Amino acid sequence: MKVRTELKAYRAARGLTQAELAERVGVSRKTINTVENGIFTPSVALALLLADCLEATVEALFQIVPEATGPA
């Protein structure tokens, strides 16, 4: 399972740096960076904090991308 994120777009639209967003939700800038780059999938609690801070829904920030399957 892969998770796609719109976190960077929402953060940028609100004029926040990674460091500013990280401070607001209580994590490191590196955590925000790894979430934005799809390296780390946030916990439910962090996803809810990010959505609240960015005035978005969790579903707007994160979507599950179906894995490709082989030929039938």
Side-chain angles (χ1 to χ4, degrees):
M1 169 178 62
K2 183 159 174 64
V3 175
R4 182 179 70 217
T5 180
E6 298 296 326
L7 182 60
K8 184 176 183 177
Y10 274 80
R11 175 183 58 76
R14 282 149 185 81
L16 295 170
T17 66
Q18 288 181 346
E20 290 167 335
L21 179 57
E23 184 177 328
R24 290 183 184 192
V25 297
V27 298
S28 70
R29 184 208 56 82
K30 185 173 182 176
T31 297
I32 298 299
N33 180 271
T34 59
V35 172
E36 285 185 356
N37 289 304
I39 297 166
F40 173 69
T41 301
S43 67
V44 171
L46 179 54
L48 288 166
L49 285 170
L50 290 166
D52 185 57
C53 183
L54 296 171
E55 299 177 350
T57 63
V58 172
E59 293 84 359
L61 294 179
F62 303 100
Q63 303 86 39
I64 294 175
V65 179
E67 301 253 351
T69 57

